[in-house]
Amino acid sequence: RRADLWAAAPPTATTATTEDIDLDGENEYLLANDRVFAVFEATGGRLVAGFARNTQTGRVYQLIGTQPAFPGSDNELEGTANVVNGAVSAHRTSGFKDWFADGAGGASSAYVNAAYTVISAGPNGWSFQSPDGHVVKTVTLATGSPRIKADYQLSGDVNKLFVRMGLSPDLQSLLTRGQQDLLVFR
């Protein structure tokens, strides 16, 4: 519903606001301009829904997020591995998912579902800081831009971070026809 409201009256300048749009009692962190509507969660500092708007036609496309799909659990946590003991573990993969960290402290998938601290990054962005402070992700959206920019700062035991982008092109087709319409690029 919130994406529909954005599409009907998109802001001319970028806005960074908080709102509990999924009615779970916790705020989501929104970035919006006339081309992009993005919904971030503090859990993992992830982009859980992303919409793009064609400024010529007004048509909106969901590019990230599969809210109607089976999540695999009754919470917002995402799997920390694709498959565990032969069963699917990651039913959903959001955008900017801090999938795997490496460094002096060893390898870890602890950031996937960590409760990040969220701090305003001005009128056009948010900063997400991991509980140990070793990962700081700042996402911004410039006015009139179709791109979300992410800057990462790593410190302490983390010197390398692998990030996943769970794109969901043509969500309606994915939900009704599965993966059969996706092309394999070689």
Side-chain angles (χ1 to χ4, degrees):
R1 174 77 178 125
R2 184 60 177 86
D4 288 339
L5 294 173
W6 159 77
T12 54
T14 297
T15 60
T17 59
T18 61
E19 190 176 335
D20 181 13
I21 66 170
D22 62 5
L23 306 175
D24 66 354
E26 297 178 11
N27 277 335
E28 282 71 46
Y29 301 87
L30 314 178
L31 288 177
N33 65 14
D34 64 333
R35 298 167 187 255
V36 174
F37 180 72
V39 180
F40 289 85
E41 291 275 359
T43 303
R46 294 190 294 262
L47 174 60
V48 296
F51 300 85
R53 181 178 163 274
N54 181 317
T55 58
Q56 301 299 312
T57 65
R59 185 152 184 205
V60 174
Y61 303 89
Q62 185 169 2
L63 303 175
I64 292 182
T66 55
Q67 286 73 21
F70 175 64
S73 67
D74 61 355
N75 57 46
E76 294 177 344
L77 302 183
E78 293 188 5
T80 58
N82 288 330
V83 176
V84 175
N85 297 326
V88 174
S89 175
H91 290 269
R92 292 182 177 170
T93 292
S94 300
F96 300 105
K97 182 176 181 176
D98 300 339
W99 182 248
F100 192 76
D102 205 0
S108 174
S109 59
Y111 298 107
V112 171
N113 294 309
Y116 280 54
T117 300
V118 186
I119 304 160
S120 172
N124 68 338
W126 296 104
S127 286
F128 299 89
Q129 181 176 6
S130 65
D132 61 9
H134 295 174
V135 176
V136 177
K137 169 181 16 188
T138 301
V139 293
T140 55
L141 176 64
T143 295
S145 176
R147 294 178 188 90
I148 296 171
K149 180 182 176 189
D151 291 309
Y152 279 83
Q153 294 177 336
L154 307 178
S155 63
D157 289 342
V158 179
N159 62 19
K160 188 185 298 184
L161 185 65
F162 297 87
V163 178
R164 286 216 162 166
M165 295 298 283
L167 301 175
S168 53
D170 194 1
L171 181 59
Q172 182 177 358
S173 175
L174 285 171
L175 290 171
T176 59
R177 299 171 50 86
Q179 297 181 9
Q180 70 186 27
D181 292 336
L182 297 178
L183 296 175
V184 176
F185 296 98
R186 294 175 191 209

mmCIF file of all heavy atoms in Angstrom, residues 2 18 25 66 94 136 142 144 164 167 181:
data_model
loop_
_atom_site.group_PDB
_atom_site.id
_atom_site.type_symbol
_atom_site.label_atom_id
_atom_site.label_comp_id
_atom_site.label_asym_id
_atom_site.label_seq_id
_atom_site.Cartn_x
_atom_site.Cartn_y
_atom_site.Cartn_z
ATOM 1 N N ARG A 2 1.952 1.223 0.774
ATOM 2 C CA ARG A 2 2.800 2.416 0.866
ATOM 3 C C ARG A 2 3.463 2.731 -0.474
ATOM 4 O O ARG A 2 3.628 3.891 -0.844
ATOM 5 C CB ARG A 2 3.843 2.231 1.980
ATOM 6 C CG ARG A 2 4.700 3.440 2.230
ATOM 7 C CD ARG A 2 3.838 4.635 2.646
ATOM 8 N NE ARG A 2 4.642 5.781 2.950
ATOM 9 C CZ ARG A 2 5.080 6.670 2.040
ATOM 10 N NH1 ARG A 2 4.794 6.520 0.766
ATOM 11 N NH2 ARG A 2 5.819 7.687 2.408
ATOM 12 N N THR A 18 11.055 7.508 8.405
ATOM 13 C CA THR A 18 10.787 6.242 9.091
ATOM 14 C C THR A 18 9.280 6.067 9.199
ATOM 15 O O THR A 18 8.546 7.034 9.370
ATOM 16 C CB THR A 18 11.403 6.205 10.505
ATOM 17 O OG1 THR A 18 10.837 7.254 11.287
ATOM 18 C CG2 THR A 18 12.905 6.347 10.462
ATOM 19 N N GLY A 25 5.230 -3.294 14.261
ATOM 20 C CA GLY A 25 5.631 -2.615 15.486
ATOM 21 C C GLY A 25 7.036 -2.036 15.438
ATOM 22 O O GLY A 25 7.491 -1.441 16.409
ATOM 23 N N THR A 66 10.183 -9.875 -2.186
ATOM 24 C CA THR A 66 9.166 -10.858 -2.557
ATOM 25 C C THR A 66 8.220 -11.052 -1.374
ATOM 26 O O THR A 66 8.041 -12.156 -0.881
ATOM 27 C CB THR A 66 9.804 -12.202 -2.950
ATOM 28 O OG1 THR A 66 10.631 -12.635 -1.868
ATOM 29 C CG2 THR A 66 10.608 -12.100 -4.213
ATOM 30 N N SER A 94 17.300 -10.310 0.325
ATOM 31 C CA SER A 94 17.042 -8.897 0.108
ATOM 32 C C SER A 94 18.231 -8.247 -0.588
ATOM 33 O O SER A 94 19.219 -8.895 -0.899
ATOM 34 C CB SER A 94 16.802 -8.223 1.461
ATOM 35 O OG SER A 94 15.704 -8.813 2.109
ATOM 36 N N VAL A 136 29.873 -0.627 8.761
ATOM 37 C CA VAL A 136 29.001 0.543 8.660
ATOM 38 C C VAL A 136 28.658 0.716 7.188
ATOM 39 O O VAL A 136 29.536 0.871 6.349
ATOM 40 C CB VAL A 136 29.667 1.829 9.212
ATOM 41 C CG1 VAL A 136 28.746 3.025 9.015
ATOM 42 C CG2 VAL A 136 30.034 1.663 10.674
ATOM 43 N N ALA A 142 20.236 10.267 -4.343
ATOM 44 C CA ALA A 142 20.253 11.672 -4.759
ATOM 45 C C ALA A 142 18.924 12.039 -5.416
ATOM 46 O O ALA A 142 18.265 11.201 -6.030
ATOM 47 C CB ALA A 142 21.409 11.922 -5.719
ATOM 48 N N GLY A 144 16.447 12.995 -8.068
ATOM 49 C CA GLY A 144 16.427 12.756 -9.503
ATOM 50 C C GLY A 144 17.224 11.555 -9.979
ATOM 51 O O GLY A 144 17.242 11.251 -11.160
ATOM 52 N N ARG A 164 25.111 -9.562 -1.008
ATOM 53 C CA ARG A 164 24.179 -10.129 -1.991
ATOM 54 C C ARG A 164 23.092 -9.116 -2.327
ATOM 55 O O ARG A 164 22.649 -8.355 -1.479
ATOM 56 C CB ARG A 164 23.515 -11.383 -1.440
ATOM 57 C CG ARG A 164 24.465 -12.547 -1.423
ATOM 58 C CD ARG A 164 23.724 -13.784 -1.744
ATOM 59 N NE ARG A 164 24.674 -14.807 -2.134
ATOM 60 C CZ ARG A 164 24.370 -16.062 -2.220
ATOM 61 N NH1 ARG A 164 23.158 -16.464 -1.947
ATOM 62 N NH2 ARG A 164 25.263 -16.934 -2.600
ATOM 63 N N LEU A 167 17.687 -9.528 -6.382
ATOM 64 C CA LEU A 167 16.800 -8.899 -7.352
ATOM 65 C C LEU A 167 15.630 -9.824 -7.679
ATOM 66 O O LEU A 167 15.779 -11.037 -7.728
ATOM 67 C CB LEU A 167 17.576 -8.567 -8.624
ATOM 68 C CG LEU A 167 18.766 -7.631 -8.431
ATOM 69 C CD1 LEU A 167 19.526 -7.461 -9.732
ATOM 70 C CD2 LEU A 167 18.341 -6.292 -7.875
ATOM 71 N N ASP A 181 10.823 -18.399 -16.729
ATOM 72 C CA ASP A 181 10.979 -17.263 -17.631
ATOM 73 C C ASP A 181 12.326 -16.559 -17.482
ATOM 74 O O ASP A 181 12.611 -15.613 -18.219
ATOM 75 C CB ASP A 181 9.862 -16.246 -17.424
ATOM 76 C CG ASP A 181 8.514 -16.785 -17.870
ATOM 77 O OD1 ASP A 181 8.475 -17.699 -18.718
ATOM 78 O OD2 ASP A 181 7.483 -16.300 -17.363
#
